[in-house]
Amino acid sequence: MTTIERNVQAPADGGAKPTRRQNAEKGFTASKELIENLQAVHVDLIELHLQGKQAHWNVVGKNFRDLHLQLDEIVEEVREFSDTVAERLRALHAVPDGRSDTVAATTTLPEYPNGEIDTAVTVDLITQRLEATVGTMRERHDDIDEADPTSADILHAIMERLEQFAWMVSAENRKPATTPSKKG
């Protein structure tokens, strides 16, 4: 698969940043590193839900309807996951950045191809992106867990579901590892 190079610049004020604590706000405040790690996860989740919707609109071919509906299910949950991470950032006195320029400039996901895409190719493209998003989460997990186990717990639930989606989507293109023997 060929990846198109992204030449997008994040806004000068791009990226999540801490807030100014006021009045009754108390409790744990995220470090700069924790904010950056959660922001990276947030951005990839936003990009995954956008790419999932792009795939949903442009998938064609065998088993179209099933994949079309499955993509909407994935998109809905991933959008909720990005919201959960953003709200966690807010709870930790940080300001998440989900602007399109920031997402385009900082996502680790490859660009999704434009135009109609066959169902079998769509299955592979979405599986790769689900796995890449989990990869971002796993790369950042240990640092997040060390700084804030509660945020790491949120990632655990999201990773579990994304890995389940990757398994379910990829099964469309798989063949059994072994063929059962025929008796008789």
Side-chain angles (χ1 to χ4, degrees):
M1 179 179 84
T2 304
T3 302
I4 297 174
E5 185 78 23
R6 291 183 182 265
N7 292 320
V8 180
Q9 294 291 321
D13 65 341
K17 49 182 92 318
T19 66
R20 190 170 55 87
R21 292 176 69 178
Q22 299 172 343
N23 304 332
E25 293 180 347
K26 302 211 182 313
F28 181 72
T29 301
S31 67
K32 184 176 187 281
E33 181 182 29
L34 178 58
I35 293 169
E36 289 171 0
N37 284 324
L38 288 172
Q39 174 67 19
V41 169
H42 178 55
V43 162
D44 276 4
L45 288 167
I46 292 170
E47 182 66 16
L48 178 60
H49 102 259
L50 291 171
Q51 289 194 23
K53 203 61 180 176
Q54 179 71 15
H56 165 85
W57 293 323
N58 294 297
V59 63
V60 295
K62 186 177 180 182
N63 296 323
F64 158 80
R65 187 171 193 283
D66 290 339
L67 184 55
H68 181 77
L69 294 173
Q70 186 177 35
L71 288 167
D72 249 356
E73 177 186 345
I74 293 168
V75 165
E76 184 177 328
E77 286 197 45
V78 171
R79 191 181 73 241
E80 289 175 16
F81 296 153
S82 70
D83 189 55
T84 298
V85 172
E87 289 179 357
R88 181 66 186 157
L89 280 159
R90 293 298 295 150
L92 299 177
H93 307 288
V95 179
D97 188 351
R99 295 174 298 166
S100 58
D101 289 349
T102 300
V103 172
T106 60
T107 185
T108 65
L109 302 185
E111 186 173 76
Y112 197 85
N114 193 23
E116 291 183 332
I117 310 281
D118 181 75
T119 52
V121 175
T122 299
V123 162
D124 290 342
L125 290 170
I126 291 300
T127 300
Q128 291 166 355
R129 280 144 181 85
L130 286 162
E131 291 173 345
T133 304
V134 170
T136 296
M137 297 171 85
R138 288 190 180 283
E139 285 173 17
R140 305 218 176 223
H141 174 272
D142 289 349
D143 290 336
I144 291 171
D145 190 35
E146 185 176 314
D148 180 31
T150 303
S151 293
D153 287 346
I154 291 168
L155 295 189
H156 296 153
I158 295 171
M159 285 187 292
E160 176 188 18
R161 190 67 173 134
L162 294 181
E163 288 171 338
Q164 184 180 38
F165 279 139
W167 159 62
M168 290 177 152
V169 171
S170 69
E172 289 284 333
N173 287 350
R174 288 197 55 230
K175 303 284 186 242
T178 59
T179 305
S181 61
K182 295 181 182 179
K183 293 187 178 189

PDB file of all heavy atoms in Angstrom, residues 21-50:
ATOM      1  N   ARG A  21      -6.292  26.807  36.150  1.00  0.00           N
ATOM      2  CA  ARG A  21      -7.217  26.303  37.171  1.00  0.00           C
ATOM      3  C   ARG A  21      -7.895  27.470  37.858  1.00  0.00           C
ATOM      4  O   ARG A  21      -7.261  28.462  38.172  1.00  0.00           O
ATOM      5  CB  ARG A  21      -6.474  25.446  38.177  1.00  0.00           C
ATOM      6  CG  ARG A  21      -5.989  24.150  37.523  1.00  0.00           C
ATOM      7  CD  ARG A  21      -5.186  23.331  38.446  1.00  0.00           C
ATOM      8  NE  ARG A  21      -6.055  22.808  39.502  1.00  0.00           N
ATOM      9  CZ  ARG A  21      -5.643  22.013  40.470  1.00  0.00           C
ATOM     10  NH1 ARG A  21      -4.391  21.660  40.526  1.00  0.00           N
ATOM     11  NH2 ARG A  21      -6.464  21.570  41.372  1.00  0.00           N
ATOM     12  N   GLN A  22      -9.186  27.324  38.057  1.00  0.00           N
ATOM     13  CA  GLN A  22      -9.950  28.409  38.651  1.00  0.00           C
ATOM     14  C   GLN A  22     -10.837  27.902  39.767  1.00  0.00           C
ATOM     15  O   GLN A  22     -11.265  26.763  39.771  1.00  0.00           O
ATOM     16  CB  GLN A  22     -10.846  29.069  37.598  1.00  0.00           C
ATOM     17  CG  GLN A  22     -10.065  29.668  36.453  1.00  0.00           C
ATOM     18  CD  GLN A  22     -10.986  30.145  35.348  1.00  0.00           C
ATOM     19  OE1 GLN A  22     -12.135  29.777  35.286  1.00  0.00           O
ATOM     20  NE2 GLN A  22     -10.457  30.966  34.470  1.00  0.00           N
ATOM     21  N   ASN A  23     -11.143  28.776  40.658  1.00  0.00           N
ATOM     22  CA  ASN A  23     -12.140  28.598  41.704  1.00  0.00           C
ATOM     23  C   ASN A  23     -12.129  27.214  42.330  1.00  0.00           C
ATOM     24  O   ASN A  23     -11.182  26.816  42.969  1.00  0.00           O
ATOM     25  CB  ASN A  23     -13.525  28.963  41.165  1.00  0.00           C
ATOM     26  CG  ASN A  23     -13.545  30.370  40.618  1.00  0.00           C
ATOM     27  OD1 ASN A  23     -12.781  31.219  41.068  1.00  0.00           O
ATOM     28  ND2 ASN A  23     -14.377  30.631  39.641  1.00  0.00           N
ATOM     29  N   ALA A  24     -13.204  26.473  42.104  1.00  0.00           N
ATOM     30  CA  ALA A  24     -13.393  25.208  42.807  1.00  0.00           C
ATOM     31  C   ALA A  24     -12.646  24.035  42.183  1.00  0.00           C
ATOM     32  O   ALA A  24     -12.681  22.943  42.718  1.00  0.00           O
ATOM     33  CB  ALA A  24     -14.887  24.875  42.864  1.00  0.00           C
ATOM     34  N   GLU A  25     -12.006  24.251  41.035  1.00  0.00           N
ATOM     35  CA  GLU A  25     -11.303  23.141  40.395  1.00  0.00           C
ATOM     36  C   GLU A  25     -10.136  22.700  41.257  1.00  0.00           C
ATOM     37  O   GLU A  25      -9.265  23.482  41.604  1.00  0.00           O
ATOM     38  CB  GLU A  25     -10.795  23.542  39.010  1.00  0.00           C
ATOM     39  CG  GLU A  25     -11.900  23.798  38.021  1.00  0.00           C
ATOM     40  CD  GLU A  25     -11.362  24.199  36.661  1.00  0.00           C
ATOM     41  OE1 GLU A  25     -10.162  24.522  36.548  1.00  0.00           O
ATOM     42  OE2 GLU A  25     -12.145  24.184  35.715  1.00  0.00           O
ATOM     43  N   LYS A  26     -10.159  21.465  41.610  1.00  0.00           N
ATOM     44  CA  LYS A  26      -9.085  20.893  42.415  1.00  0.00           C
ATOM     45  C   LYS A  26      -8.755  19.530  41.818  1.00  0.00           C
ATOM     46  O   LYS A  26      -9.319  19.108  40.845  1.00  0.00           O
ATOM     47  CB  LYS A  26      -9.546  20.731  43.867  1.00  0.00           C
ATOM     48  CG  LYS A  26      -9.986  22.037  44.496  1.00  0.00           C
ATOM     49  CD  LYS A  26      -9.705  22.043  45.953  1.00  0.00           C
ATOM     50  CE  LYS A  26     -10.156  23.279  46.660  1.00  0.00           C
ATOM     51  NZ  LYS A  26      -9.844  24.532  46.100  1.00  0.00           N
ATOM     52  N   GLY A  27      -7.842  18.840  42.432  1.00  0.00           N
ATOM     53  CA  GLY A  27      -7.556  17.491  41.990  1.00  0.00           C
ATOM     54  C   GLY A  27      -6.343  17.405  41.096  1.00  0.00           C
ATOM     55  O   GLY A  27      -5.579  18.341  40.927  1.00  0.00           O
ATOM     56  N   PHE A  28      -6.209  16.239  40.502  1.00  0.00           N
ATOM     57  CA  PHE A  28      -5.052  15.893  39.679  1.00  0.00           C
ATOM     58  C   PHE A  28      -5.005  16.765  38.425  1.00  0.00           C
ATOM     59  O   PHE A  28      -6.011  16.969  37.757  1.00  0.00           O
ATOM     60  CB  PHE A  28      -5.162  14.412  39.292  1.00  0.00           C
ATOM     61  CG  PHE A  28      -4.033  13.913  38.454  1.00  0.00           C
ATOM     62  CD1 PHE A  28      -2.774  13.718  39.007  1.00  0.00           C
ATOM     63  CD2 PHE A  28      -4.224  13.617  37.119  1.00  0.00           C
ATOM     64  CE1 PHE A  28      -1.721  13.251  38.232  1.00  0.00           C
ATOM     65  CE2 PHE A  28      -3.180  13.141  36.341  1.00  0.00           C
ATOM     66  CZ  PHE A  28      -1.927  12.962  36.896  1.00  0.00           C
ATOM     67  N   THR A  29      -3.831  17.249  38.103  1.00  0.00           N
ATOM     68  CA  THR A  29      -3.606  18.024  36.889  1.00  0.00           C
ATOM     69  C   THR A  29      -2.590  17.278  36.030  1.00  0.00           C
ATOM     70  O   THR A  29      -1.538  16.870  36.517  1.00  0.00           O
ATOM     71  CB  THR A  29      -3.061  19.434  37.228  1.00  0.00           C
ATOM     72  OG1 THR A  29      -4.005  20.092  38.065  1.00  0.00           O
ATOM     73  CG2 THR A  29      -2.851  20.248  35.973  1.00  0.00           C
ATOM     74  N   ALA A  30      -2.922  17.106  34.768  1.00  0.00           N
ATOM     75  CA  ALA A  30      -2.056  16.363  33.855  1.00  0.00           C
ATOM     76  C   ALA A  30      -0.753  17.098  33.600  1.00  0.00           C
ATOM     77  O   ALA A  30      -0.723  18.324  33.470  1.00  0.00           O
ATOM     78  CB  ALA A  30      -2.781  16.125  32.531  1.00  0.00           C
ATOM     79  N   SER A  31       0.320  16.311  33.496  1.00  0.00           N
ATOM     80  CA  SER A  31       1.618  16.861  33.096  1.00  0.00           C
ATOM     81  C   SER A  31       1.587  17.151  31.594  1.00  0.00           C
ATOM     82  O   SER A  31       0.718  16.670  30.857  1.00  0.00           O
ATOM     83  CB  SER A  31       2.726  15.842  33.389  1.00  0.00           C
ATOM     84  OG  SER A  31       2.562  14.706  32.537  1.00  0.00           O
ATOM     85  N   LYS A  32       2.566  17.911  31.133  1.00  0.00           N
ATOM     86  CA  LYS A  32       2.680  18.204  29.696  1.00  0.00           C
ATOM     87  C   LYS A  32       2.788  16.901  28.895  1.00  0.00           C
ATOM     88  O   LYS A  32       2.160  16.745  27.851  1.00  0.00           O
ATOM     89  CB  LYS A  32       3.902  19.097  29.459  1.00  0.00           C
ATOM     90  CG  LYS A  32       4.071  19.545  28.024  1.00  0.00           C
ATOM     91  CD  LYS A  32       5.260  20.515  27.914  1.00  0.00           C
ATOM     92  CE  LYS A  32       5.363  21.111  26.542  1.00  0.00           C
ATOM     93  NZ  LYS A  32       5.953  20.262  25.550  1.00  0.00           N
ATOM     94  N   GLU A  33       3.567  15.954  29.395  1.00  0.00           N
ATOM     95  CA  GLU A  33       3.751  14.682  28.694  1.00  0.00           C
ATOM     96  C   GLU A  33       2.441  13.890  28.632  1.00  0.00           C
ATOM     97  O   GLU A  33       2.104  13.319  27.592  1.00  0.00           O
ATOM     98  CB  GLU A  33       4.833  13.850  29.378  1.00  0.00           C
ATOM     99  CG  GLU A  33       5.089  12.521  28.672  1.00  0.00           C
ATOM    100  CD  GLU A  33       6.122  11.661  29.370  1.00  0.00           C
ATOM    101  OE1 GLU A  33       6.268  11.763  30.606  1.00  0.00           O
ATOM    102  OE2 GLU A  33       6.762  10.867  28.667  1.00  0.00           O
ATOM    103  N   LEU A  34       1.700  13.863  29.722  1.00  0.00           N
ATOM    104  CA  LEU A  34       0.419  13.151  29.729  1.00  0.00           C
ATOM    105  C   LEU A  34      -0.550  13.804  28.747  1.00  0.00           C
ATOM    106  O   LEU A  34      -1.235  13.110  27.984  1.00  0.00           O
ATOM    107  CB  LEU A  34      -0.182  13.113  31.139  1.00  0.00           C
ATOM    108  CG  LEU A  34      -1.546  12.428  31.274  1.00  0.00           C
ATOM    109  CD1 LEU A  34      -1.503  10.980  30.782  1.00  0.00           C
ATOM    110  CD2 LEU A  34      -2.021  12.494  32.720  1.00  0.00           C
ATOM    111  N   ILE A  35      -0.581  15.123  28.726  1.00  0.00           N
ATOM    112  CA  ILE A  35      -1.446  15.836  27.778  1.00  0.00           C
ATOM    113  C   ILE A  35      -1.061  15.471  26.348  1.00  0.00           C
ATOM    114  O   ILE A  35      -1.929  15.157  25.520  1.00  0.00           O
ATOM    115  CB  ILE A  35      -1.355  17.365  27.998  1.00  0.00           C
ATOM    116  CG1 ILE A  35      -1.964  17.750  29.350  1.00  0.00           C
ATOM    117  CG2 ILE A  35      -2.050  18.116  26.857  1.00  0.00           C
ATOM    118  CD1 ILE A  35      -1.687  19.192  29.758  1.00  0.00           C
ATOM    119  N   GLU A  36       0.236  15.490  26.043  1.00  0.00           N
ATOM    120  CA  GLU A  36       0.695  15.170  24.685  1.00  0.00           C
ATOM    121  C   GLU A  36       0.328  13.741  24.302  1.00  0.00           C
ATOM    122  O   GLU A  36      -0.078  13.477  23.164  1.00  0.00           O
ATOM    123  CB  GLU A  36       2.196  15.387  24.571  1.00  0.00           C
ATOM    124  CG  GLU A  36       2.588  16.845  24.587  1.00  0.00           C
ATOM    125  CD  GLU A  36       4.096  17.069  24.692  1.00  0.00           C
ATOM    126  OE1 GLU A  36       4.871  16.076  24.752  1.00  0.00           O
ATOM    127  OE2 GLU A  36       4.504  18.248  24.715  1.00  0.00           O
ATOM    128  N   ASN A  37       0.471  12.804  25.226  1.00  0.00           N
ATOM    129  CA  ASN A  37       0.146  11.404  24.927  1.00  0.00           C
ATOM    130  C   ASN A  37      -1.350  11.206  24.708  1.00  0.00           C
ATOM    131  O   ASN A  37      -1.758  10.512  23.768  1.00  0.00           O
ATOM    132  CB  ASN A  37       0.654  10.492  26.048  1.00  0.00           C
ATOM    133  CG  ASN A  37       2.148  10.285  25.974  1.00  0.00           C
ATOM    134  OD1 ASN A  37       2.728  10.205  24.898  1.00  0.00           O
ATOM    135  ND2 ASN A  37       2.793  10.197  27.121  1.00  0.00           N
ATOM    136  N   LEU A  38      -2.169  11.803  25.551  1.00  0.00           N
ATOM    137  CA  LEU A  38      -3.616  11.681  25.368  1.00  0.00           C
ATOM    138  C   LEU A  38      -4.070  12.418  24.110  1.00  0.00           C
ATOM    139  O   LEU A  38      -4.970  11.953  23.399  1.00  0.00           O
ATOM    140  CB  LEU A  38      -4.362  12.193  26.598  1.00  0.00           C
ATOM    141  CG  LEU A  38      -4.273  11.310  27.837  1.00  0.00           C
ATOM    142  CD1 LEU A  38      -4.892  12.002  29.048  1.00  0.00           C
ATOM    143  CD2 LEU A  38      -4.931   9.947  27.597  1.00  0.00           C
ATOM    144  N   GLN A  39      -3.437  13.540  23.800  1.00  0.00           N
ATOM    145  CA  GLN A  39      -3.764  14.278  22.580  1.00  0.00           C
ATOM    146  C   GLN A  39      -3.462  13.433  21.337  1.00  0.00           C
ATOM    147  O   GLN A  39      -4.235  13.412  20.389  1.00  0.00           O
ATOM    148  CB  GLN A  39      -2.997  15.608  22.525  1.00  0.00           C
ATOM    149  CG  GLN A  39      -3.162  16.390  21.234  1.00  0.00           C
ATOM    150  CD  GLN A  39      -4.550  16.937  20.977  1.00  0.00           C
ATOM    151  OE1 GLN A  39      -5.368  17.057  21.889  1.00  0.00           O
ATOM    152  NE2 GLN A  39      -4.829  17.263  19.734  1.00  0.00           N
ATOM    153  N   ALA A  40      -2.355  12.715  21.340  1.00  0.00           N
ATOM    154  CA  ALA A  40      -2.003  11.854  20.196  1.00  0.00           C
ATOM    155  C   ALA A  40      -3.061  10.774  19.988  1.00  0.00           C
ATOM    156  O   ALA A  40      -3.447  10.472  18.853  1.00  0.00           O
ATOM    157  CB  ALA A  40      -0.629  11.227  20.415  1.00  0.00           C
ATOM    158  N   VAL A  41      -3.538  10.197  21.077  1.00  0.00           N
ATOM    159  CA  VAL A  41      -4.602   9.192  20.987  1.00  0.00           C
ATOM    160  C   VAL A  41      -5.884   9.843  20.472  1.00  0.00           C
ATOM    161  O   VAL A  41      -6.559   9.313  19.579  1.00  0.00           O
ATOM    162  CB  VAL A  41      -4.834   8.526  22.365  1.00  0.00           C
ATOM    163  CG1 VAL A  41      -6.099   7.670  22.364  1.00  0.00           C
ATOM    164  CG2 VAL A  41      -3.614   7.701  22.769  1.00  0.00           C
ATOM    165  N   HIS A  42      -6.213  10.996  21.018  1.00  0.00           N
ATOM    166  CA  HIS A  42      -7.421  11.732  20.623  1.00  0.00           C
ATOM    167  C   HIS A  42      -7.421  12.017  19.118  1.00  0.00           C
ATOM    168  O   HIS A  42      -8.414  11.772  18.420  1.00  0.00           O
ATOM    169  CB  HIS A  42      -7.482  13.031  21.441  1.00  0.00           C
ATOM    170  CG  HIS A  42      -8.619  13.926  21.130  1.00  0.00           C
ATOM    171  ND1 HIS A  42      -9.932  13.526  21.164  1.00  0.00           N
ATOM    172  CD2 HIS A  42      -8.642  15.243  20.799  1.00  0.00           C
ATOM    173  CE1 HIS A  42     -10.712  14.552  20.865  1.00  0.00           C
ATOM    174  NE2 HIS A  42      -9.954  15.596  20.635  1.00  0.00           N
ATOM    175  N   VAL A  43      -6.303  12.500  18.608  1.00  0.00           N
ATOM    176  CA  VAL A  43      -6.185  12.835  17.186  1.00  0.00           C
ATOM    177  C   VAL A  43      -6.377  11.597  16.313  1.00  0.00           C
ATOM    178  O   VAL A  43      -7.095  11.641  15.304  1.00  0.00           O
ATOM    179  CB  VAL A  43      -4.819  13.514  16.926  1.00  0.00           C
ATOM    180  CG1 VAL A  43      -4.445  13.487  15.464  1.00  0.00           C
ATOM    181  CG2 VAL A  43      -4.840  14.943  17.447  1.00  0.00           C
ATOM    182  N   ASP A  44      -5.742  10.492  16.667  1.00  0.00           N
ATOM    183  CA  ASP A  44      -5.891   9.283  15.848  1.00  0.00           C
ATOM    184  C   ASP A  44      -7.324   8.751  15.903  1.00  0.00           C
ATOM    185  O   ASP A  44      -7.832   8.222  14.906  1.00  0.00           O
ATOM    186  CB  ASP A  44      -4.888   8.210  16.251  1.00  0.00           C
ATOM    187  CG  ASP A  44      -3.532   8.406  15.583  1.00  0.00           C
ATOM    188  OD1 ASP A  44      -3.342   9.420  14.861  1.00  0.00           O
ATOM    189  OD2 ASP A  44      -2.655   7.547  15.778  1.00  0.00           O
ATOM    190  N   LEU A  45      -8.001   8.888  17.029  1.00  0.00           N
ATOM    191  CA  LEU A  45      -9.402   8.469  17.106  1.00  0.00           C
ATOM    192  C   LEU A  45     -10.287   9.348  16.225  1.00  0.00           C
ATOM    193  O   LEU A  45     -11.180   8.845  15.531  1.00  0.00           O
ATOM    194  CB  LEU A  45      -9.896   8.481  18.554  1.00  0.00           C
ATOM    195  CG  LEU A  45      -9.341   7.372  19.444  1.00  0.00           C
ATOM    196  CD1 LEU A  45      -9.640   7.667  20.909  1.00  0.00           C
ATOM    197  CD2 LEU A  45      -9.896   6.014  19.035  1.00  0.00           C
ATOM    198  N   ILE A  46     -10.036  10.643  16.224  1.00  0.00           N
ATOM    199  CA  ILE A  46     -10.800  11.542  15.344  1.00  0.00           C
ATOM    200  C   ILE A  46     -10.564  11.160  13.890  1.00  0.00           C
ATOM    201  O   ILE A  46     -11.502  11.020  13.101  1.00  0.00           O
ATOM    202  CB  ILE A  46     -10.427  13.019  15.582  1.00  0.00           C
ATOM    203  CG1 ILE A  46     -10.889  13.478  16.963  1.00  0.00           C
ATOM    204  CG2 ILE A  46     -11.029  13.913  14.492  1.00  0.00           C
ATOM    205  CD1 ILE A  46     -10.354  14.845  17.371  1.00  0.00           C
ATOM    206  N   GLU A  47      -9.306  10.960  13.524  1.00  0.00           N
ATOM    207  CA  GLU A  47      -8.977  10.608  12.142  1.00  0.00           C
ATOM    208  C   GLU A  47      -9.584   9.255  11.768  1.00  0.00           C
ATOM    209  O   GLU A  47     -10.081   9.083  10.656  1.00  0.00           O
ATOM    210  CB  GLU A  47      -7.456  10.591  11.947  1.00  0.00           C
ATOM    211  CG  GLU A  47      -7.011  10.289  10.534  1.00  0.00           C
ATOM    212  CD  GLU A  47      -7.372  11.351   9.501  1.00  0.00           C
ATOM    213  OE1 GLU A  47      -7.721  12.497   9.868  1.00  0.00           O
ATOM    214  OE2 GLU A  47      -7.303  11.023   8.294  1.00  0.00           O
ATOM    215  N   LEU A  48      -9.565   8.305  12.693  1.00  0.00           N
ATOM    216  CA  LEU A  48     -10.155   6.989  12.415  1.00  0.00           C
ATOM    217  C   LEU A  48     -11.651   7.117  12.154  1.00  0.00           C
ATOM    218  O   LEU A  48     -12.171   6.491  11.229  1.00  0.00           O
ATOM    219  CB  LEU A  48      -9.892   6.032  13.588  1.00  0.00           C
ATOM    220  CG  LEU A  48     -10.485   4.626  13.449  1.00  0.00           C
ATOM    221  CD1 LEU A  48      -9.920   3.906  12.221  1.00  0.00           C
ATOM    222  CD2 LEU A  48     -10.207   3.820  14.720  1.00  0.00           C
ATOM    223  N   HIS A  49     -12.339   7.917  12.937  1.00  0.00           N
ATOM    224  CA  HIS A  49     -13.781   8.020  12.690  1.00  0.00           C
ATOM    225  C   HIS A  49     -14.061   8.759  11.383  1.00  0.00           C
ATOM    226  O   HIS A  49     -14.993   8.412  10.654  1.00  0.00           O
ATOM    227  CB  HIS A  49     -14.526   8.570  13.923  1.00  0.00           C
ATOM    228  CG  HIS A  49     -14.944   9.979  13.918  1.00  0.00           C
ATOM    229  ND1 HIS A  49     -14.256  10.953  14.587  1.00  0.00           N
ATOM    230  CD2 HIS A  49     -16.014  10.585  13.359  1.00  0.00           C
ATOM    231  CE1 HIS A  49     -14.881  12.110  14.444  1.00  0.00           C
ATOM    232  NE2 HIS A  49     -15.949  11.912  13.699  1.00  0.00           N
ATOM    233  N   LEU A  50     -13.234   9.726  11.005  1.00  0.00           N
ATOM    234  CA  LEU A  50     -13.413  10.404   9.718  1.00  0.00           C
ATOM    235  C   LEU A  50     -13.130   9.453   8.550  1.00  0.00           C
ATOM    236  O   LEU A  50     -13.871   9.422   7.561  1.00  0.00           O
ATOM    237  CB  LEU A  50     -12.495  11.624   9.632  1.00  0.00           C
ATOM    238  CG  LEU A  50     -12.851  12.781  10.563  1.00  0.00           C
ATOM    239  CD1 LEU A  50     -11.747  13.836  10.538  1.00  0.00           C
ATOM    240  CD2 LEU A  50     -14.198  13.388  10.201  1.00  0.00           C
TER     241      LEU A  50
END
